[in-house]
Amino acid sequence: MTAVDTDSAQRRRSGVRRERAEVTREHLLHTAERLFAERGLSEVSSRQIVEAAGQANNSALAYHVGTRADLLRAISRAHVEPITRRSRELFDETRGSSDPGEYLGCLVRPYTEHLASLGTPSWYARFAAQLATDPAYVGVVLWAPELAALLEDAHHAMSAHVPDLPSELTRLRYQTARLAVLHTCAEQERAAADTGVPADWELIGDALTDGITGMLLAPVRPRPHQG
Amino acid sequence: MTAVDTDSAQRRRSGVRRERAEVTREHLLHTAERLFAERGLSEVSSRQIVEAAGQANNSALAYHVGTRADLLRAISRAHVEPITRRSRELFDETRGSSDPGEYLGCLVRPYTEHLASLGTPSWYARFAAQLATDPAYVGVVLWAPELAALLEDAHHAMSAHVPDLPSELTRLRYQTARLAVLHTCAEQERAAADTGVPADWELIGDALTDGITGMLLAPVRPRPHQG
């Protein structure tokens, strides 16, 4: 065996090792996402994830993924990145529209289309809703800079075409719209997983787009308790 | 001491014992609600509740309240009952109206008024949102028969005054409206607890009423991917 042969054999072996490590990492992420969605974020220990993924070594999660925050961030990014990319494409095609519903569709439909692409059962919608509600993690790991930039651009594009409200009320309506989408998708995903009947994500995406458009365009009604 | 005196002393002692047990029970419920809201439902063990409530006996929770489902049900009922009672009153005053927003106000405002009555920090909105999202408890303990009857009456009263949609879409819109209210209130309560600045529950109640009215009245828009 020559020195060149040894070198190339070593490279090959190290390539195989890297590939195996990547497969193990992916498997740990999928297993964690499923357990989190089914049992709840704080119900599931690192040990349970490692065991359910069939790994013998208890430190496999720390080695392949990192801390619990790293784990939640890695699961999130694998979904948030393609969703945000698609939203950005649609948004760029929609620029110039005076119809807030079109912009909201660019934000909602890539999410429901992504959920549809995952098949039944999927776990991500429940995972994302829990991450957004859990007192220990809320706001800490869900956020992607590209998503924040996209949401800001979308708010800006819509601002001339929604009622001119005090900023407090506008913020509240966007918050409610975000939570409505997040939690409706989670409940629909859970129902699909429980019954085995796939969710109609196209219908859900359209209904949510119509619904939050109606919410953002709603007039402020006079109150009996005012004045 | 006569037999009559002994009798009345015994009755007094047993009355005091009952009263003390009731105080202990209330204190356990309040402690549990706070811990659940702050740390998450599944983060908190019975032992932690008993300790945080300053009870020496580990079985205090089982003795005074019962199982975990009994505990969650007892916390829920203490809030759901007065909210539902007030909603029913308002609903009965509103009967005959053709304005869906008025009916929705009867459902939303008693909830935000109840949260306002709890002061800052309150815990119930976060507790309720977690209970509605937790895979282990969703739908199991939150439900009160009077609330179910009220929601049915409200749907019926509104049905002639909202767009005539396929029942699947109508159900989806009501689900989204419920989740929007539940989770917006939870996030607002959390922000108030974190900052110490009380939430403006009157503004939030009005904004949610306007928002979900807009959502239920929203037209179904034509879709590029249809036909």
Side-chain angles (χ1 to χ4, degrees), chain A residues 36-43 99-102 109 113 126 129-130 132-136 138 168-169 172-173 175-181 183-188 190 200 202-216 218-221 223-226, chain B residues 36-43 99-102 109 113 126 129-130 132-136 138 168-169 172-173 175-181 183-188 190 200 202-216 218-221 223-226:
Chain A
F36 285 145
E38 287 176 349
R39 300 189 198 164
L41 280 187
S42 45
E43 279 296 287
D99 176 355
E102 285 194 32
R109 252 175 257 125
E113 281 166 13
R126 286 169 284 173
Q130 285 181 57
T133 312
D134 192 292
V138 62
E168 205 177 350
L169 269 181
L172 194 56
R173 287 186 174 194
Q175 177 186 51
T176 301
R178 183 177 65 82
L179 292 168
V181 171
H183 290 283
T184 301
C185 289
E187 288 219 356
Q188 292 290 327
R190 178 180 296 118
D200 186 342
E202 189 172 316
L203 180 139
I204 296 164
D206 288 349
L208 284 171
T209 302
D210 289 343
I212 65 173
T213 302
M215 175 183 283
L216 292 176
V220 173
R221 298 147 52 91
R223 301 300 165 195
H225 53 72
Q226 277 161 2
Chain B
F36 286 145
E38 288 176 348
R39 301 189 198 162
L41 279 187
S42 46
E43 279 296 287
D99 176 356
E102 285 193 32
R109 252 176 257 125
E113 281 166 14
R126 286 168 285 172
Q130 285 181 58
T133 312
D134 193 291
V138 62
E168 204 178 350
L169 269 182
L172 194 56
R173 287 186 175 195
Q175 177 186 52
T176 300
R178 183 178 65 83
L179 293 168
V181 171
H183 289 283
T184 300
C185 289
E187 289 218 356
Q188 291 289 328
R190 179 180 295 120
D200 186 343
E202 190 173 316
L203 179 140
I204 296 164
D206 289 348
L208 284 171
T209 303
D210 289 343
I212 66 173
T213 303
M215 174 182 282
L216 292 176
V220 173
R221 298 147 52 91
R223 299 300 164 196
H225 53 73
Q226 277 162 1

Side-chain angles (χ1 to χ4, degrees), chain A residues 1-226:
Chain A
M1 195 185 262
T2 66
V4 171
D5 279 345
T6 315
D7 225 46
S8 115
Q10 270 175 355
R11 269 204 304 277
R12 212 160 43 234
R13 275 200 302 277
S14 115
V16 168
R17 262 201 305 275
R18 266 202 305 277
E19 213 170 280
R20 271 197 205 135
E22 193 41 47
V23 169
T24 305
R25 184 174 186 276
E26 285 299 309
H27 185 52
L28 284 164
L29 294 180
H30 282 136
T31 305
E33 179 183 299
R34 175 172 62 78
L35 293 180
F36 285 145
E38 287 176 349
R39 300 189 198 164
L41 280 187
S42 45
E43 279 296 287
V44 180
S45 66
S46 298
R47 193 195 190 95
Q48 287 169 321
I49 296 166
V50 166
E51 279 177 11
Q55 291 288 310
N57 193 327
N58 259 326
S59 60
L61 201 60
Y63 177 78
H64 288 284
V65 184
T67 64
R68 173 151 290 224
D70 293 333
L71 172 63
L72 297 172
R73 212 177 284 120
I75 299 171
S76 282
R77 288 202 75 83
H79 298 282
V80 170
E81 280 182 357
I83 295 167
T84 305
R85 214 157 36 230
R86 179 70 183 134
S87 279
R88 171 58 75 180
E89 274 173 29
L90 291 178
F91 178 74
D92 287 343
E93 287 167 19
T94 304
R95 263 181 207 284
S97 167
S98 61
D99 176 355
E102 285 194 32
Y103 293 106
L104 293 169
C106 300
L107 300 176
V108 173
R109 252 175 257 125
Y111 186 44
T112 50
E113 281 166 13
H114 180 76
L115 293 170
S117 78
L118 301 174
T120 304
S122 63
W123 294 277
Y124 177 62
R126 286 169 284 173
F127 171 82
Q130 285 181 57
L131 204 56
T133 312
D134 192 292
Y137 296 108
V138 62
V140 177
V141 293
L142 198 58
W143 215 240
E146 315 80 52
L147 179 57
L150 175 67
L151 290 178
E152 193 166 315
D153 287 356
H155 290 188
H156 188 74
M158 285 187 282
S159 61
H161 314 293
V162 297
D164 191 21
L165 302 177
S167 63
E168 205 177 350
L169 269 181
T170 302
R171 264 201 308 278
L172 194 56
R173 287 186 174 194
Y174 280 114
Q175 177 186 51
T176 301
R178 183 177 65 82
L179 292 168
V181 171
L182 202 58
H183 290 283
T184 301
C185 289
E187 288 219 356
Q188 292 290 327
E189 183 188 69
R190 178 180 296 118
D194 288 351
T195 60
V197 180
D200 186 342
W201 289 116
E202 189 172 316
L203 180 139
I204 296 164
D206 288 349
L208 284 171
T209 302
D210 289 343
I212 65 173
T213 302
M215 175 183 283
L216 292 176
L217 293 178
V220 173
R221 298 147 52 91
R223 301 300 165 195
H225 53 72
Q226 277 161 2

Side-chain angles (χ1 to χ4, degrees), chain B residues 189-201:
Chain B
E189 183 188 70
R190 179 180 295 120
D194 288 350
T195 60
V197 181
D200 186 343
W201 289 116

